[in-house]
Tab-separated table of all heavy atoms in Angstrom:
chain	number	residue	atom	x	y	z
H	255	VAL	N	92.987	94.458	113.403
H	255	VAL	CA	93.559	95.797	113.358
H	255	VAL	C	93.080	96.556	114.568
H	255	VAL	O	91.870	96.754	114.750
H	255	VAL	CB	93.162	96.548	112.086
H	255	VAL	CG1	93.814	97.929	112.039
H	255	VAL	CG2	93.492	95.763	110.843
H	256	ALA	N	94.006	96.932	115.450
H	256	ALA	CA	93.641	97.688	116.649
H	256	ALA	C	94.039	99.149	116.416
H	256	ALA	O	95.202	99.463	116.242
H	256	ALA	CB	94.392	97.144	117.870
H	257	VAL	N	93.034	100.024	116.396
H	257	VAL	CA	93.248	101.430	116.057
H	257	VAL	C	93.274	102.279	117.333
H	257	VAL	O	92.442	102.075	118.237
H	257	VAL	CB	92.134	101.941	115.132
H	257	VAL	CG1	92.275	103.418	114.833
H	257	VAL	CG2	92.172	101.140	113.816
H	258	THR	N	94.180	103.234	117.370
H	258	THR	CA	94.241	104.160	118.502
H	258	THR	C	95.074	105.373	118.087
H	258	THR	O	95.655	105.426	116.984
H	258	THR	CB	94.828	103.488	119.730
H	258	THR	OG1	94.733	104.385	120.857
H	258	THR	CG2	96.286	103.106	119.527
H	259	ASP	N	95.145	106.361	118.981
H	259	ASP	CA	96.017	107.495	118.731
H	259	ASP	C	97.466	107.084	118.993
H	259	ASP	O	97.724	106.089	119.688
H	259	ASP	CB	95.613	108.675	119.617
H	259	ASP	CG	95.762	108.353	121.087
H	259	ASP	OD1	94.858	107.713	121.654
H	259	ASP	OD2	96.788	108.720	121.688
H	260	GLY	N	98.417	107.876	118.457
H	260	GLY	CA	99.821	107.478	118.554
H	260	GLY	C	100.370	107.437	119.985
H	260	GLY	O	101.207	106.584	120.282
H	261	PHE	N	99.895	108.333	120.833
H	261	PHE	CA	100.383	108.346	122.225
H	261	PHE	C	99.965	107.068	122.947
H	261	PHE	O	100.787	106.374	123.547
H	261	PHE	CB	99.832	109.580	122.947
H	261	PHE	CG	100.310	109.677	124.379
H	261	PHE	CD1	101.520	110.286	124.698
H	261	PHE	CD2	99.533	109.152	125.416
H	261	PHE	CE1	101.933	110.349	126.010
H	261	PHE	CE2	99.948	109.239	126.732
H	261	PHE	CZ	101.175	109.848	127.032
H	262	THR	N	98.676	106.734	122.832
H	262	THR	CA	98.173	105.523	123.476
H	262	THR	C	98.782	104.280	122.852
H	262	THR	O	99.193	103.349	123.566
H	262	THR	CB	96.649	105.445	123.357
H	262	THR	OG1	96.077	106.621	123.922
H	262	THR	CG2	96.083	104.201	124.044
H	263	GLY	N	98.902	104.279	121.542
H	263	GLY	CA	99.441	103.116	120.847
H	263	GLY	C	100.870	102.803	121.224
H	263	GLY	O	101.246	101.656	121.417
H	264	ASN	N	101.688	103.844	121.406
H	264	ASN	CA	103.054	103.642	121.805
H	264	ASN	C	103.141	103.068	123.211
H	264	ASN	O	103.960	102.202	123.517
H	264	ASN	CB	103.846	104.958	121.705
H	264	ASN	CG	105.332	104.737	121.877
H	264	ASN	OD1	105.887	105.036	122.934
H	264	ASN	ND2	105.976	104.235	120.850
H	265	ALA	N	102.258	103.564	124.111
H	265	ALA	CA	102.228	103.046	125.476
H	265	ALA	C	101.792	101.568	125.488
H	265	ALA	O	102.360	100.748	126.212
H	265	ALA	CB	101.269	103.889	126.327
H	266	VAL	N	100.789	101.236	124.681
H	266	VAL	CA	100.323	99.850	124.582
H	266	VAL	C	101.422	98.941	124.050
H	266	VAL	O	101.685	97.876	124.582
H	266	VAL	CB	99.067	99.761	123.694
H	266	VAL	CG1	98.744	98.310	123.355
H	266	VAL	CG2	97.872	100.426	124.347
H	267	LEU	N	102.110	99.408	122.995
H	267	LEU	CA	103.188	98.613	122.386
H	267	LEU	C	104.291	98.337	123.392
H	267	LEU	O	104.731	97.163	123.547
H	267	LEU	CB	103.763	99.372	121.198
H	267	LEU	CG	105.000	98.762	120.540
H	267	LEU	CD1	104.688	97.398	119.933
H	267	LEU	CD2	105.555	99.701	119.479
H	268	LYS	N	104.725	99.350	124.114
H	268	LYS	CA	105.825	99.154	125.065
H	268	LYS	C	105.391	98.302	126.261
H	268	LYS	O	106.204	97.518	126.795
H	268	LYS	CB	106.350	100.516	125.532
H	268	LYS	CG	107.117	101.248	124.433
H	268	LYS	CD	107.576	102.614	124.827
H	268	LYS	CE	108.382	103.267	123.715
H	268	LYS	NZ	108.774	104.651	124.014
H	269	ALA	N	104.139	98.425	126.647
H	269	ALA	CA	103.631	97.587	127.743
H	269	ALA	C	103.606	96.112	127.330
H	269	ALA	O	104.014	95.230	128.115
H	269	ALA	CB	102.242	98.027	128.141
H	270	ILE	N	103.175	95.844	126.109
H	270	ILE	CA	103.122	94.462	125.637
H	270	ILE	C	104.529	93.882	125.513
H	270	ILE	O	104.809	92.777	125.969
H	270	ILE	CB	102.382	94.387	124.278
H	270	ILE	CG1	100.882	94.627	124.455
H	270	ILE	CG2	102.622	93.031	123.595
H	270	ILE	CD1	100.103	94.714	123.187
H	271	GLU	N	105.430	94.634	124.868
H	271	GLU	CA	106.795	94.154	124.698
H	271	GLU	C	107.508	93.972	126.054
H	271	GLU	O	108.192	92.948	126.253
H	271	GLU	CB	107.589	95.133	123.829
H	271	GLU	CG	107.156	95.182	122.380
H	271	GLU	CD	107.949	96.169	121.552
H	271	GLU	OE1	108.460	97.144	122.118
H	271	GLU	OE2	108.038	95.945	120.331
H	272	GLY	N	107.305	94.895	126.955
H	272	GLY	CA	107.926	94.791	128.257
H	272	GLY	C	107.388	93.638	129.060
H	272	GLY	O	108.140	92.902	129.720
H	273	THR	N	106.080	93.403	128.992
H	273	THR	CA	105.477	92.296	129.737
H	273	THR	C	105.955	90.937	129.204
H	273	THR	O	106.271	90.029	129.968
H	273	THR	CB	103.942	92.385	129.667
H	273	THR	OG1	103.513	93.622	130.215
H	273	THR	CG2	103.290	91.227	130.427
H	274	ALA	N	105.975	90.811	127.880
H	274	ALA	CA	106.423	89.555	127.249
H	274	ALA	C	107.850	89.252	127.657
H	274	ALA	O	108.188	88.111	128.038
H	274	ALA	CB	106.307	89.646	125.744
H	275	SER	N	108.713	90.269	127.615
H	275	SER	CA	110.112	90.060	127.977
H	275	SER	C	110.250	89.710	129.465
H	275	SER	O	111.035	88.828	129.817
H	275	SER	CB	110.892	91.343	127.681
H	275	SER	OG	112.220	91.259	128.115
H	276	ALA	N	109.443	90.378	130.308
H	276	ALA	CA	109.542	90.126	131.748
H	276	ALA	C	109.060	88.707	132.094
H	276	ALA	O	109.656	88.046	132.959
H	276	ALA	CB	108.687	91.135	132.492
H	277	ILE	N	108.034	88.216	131.431
H	277	ILE	CA	107.518	86.876	131.711
H	277	ILE	C	108.549	85.807	131.338
H	277	ILE	O	108.781	84.850	132.088
H	277	ILE	CB	106.184	86.631	130.949
H	277	ILE	CG1	105.062	87.469	131.621
H	277	ILE	CG2	105.810	85.152	130.962
H	277	ILE	CD1	103.762	87.429	130.859
H	278	VAL	N	109.156	85.980	130.163
H	278	VAL	CA	110.194	85.019	129.755
H	278	VAL	C	111.330	85.024	130.739
H	278	VAL	O	111.838	83.979	131.148
H	278	VAL	CB	110.681	85.358	128.331
H	278	VAL	CG1	111.911	84.516	127.977
H	278	VAL	CG2	109.580	85.122	127.302
């Protein structure tokens, strides 16, 4: 469980999803 505030969490989520999509 990775805990953070909503602003940071949304940025982390989009960075992970964007990176995964870009690598593929």
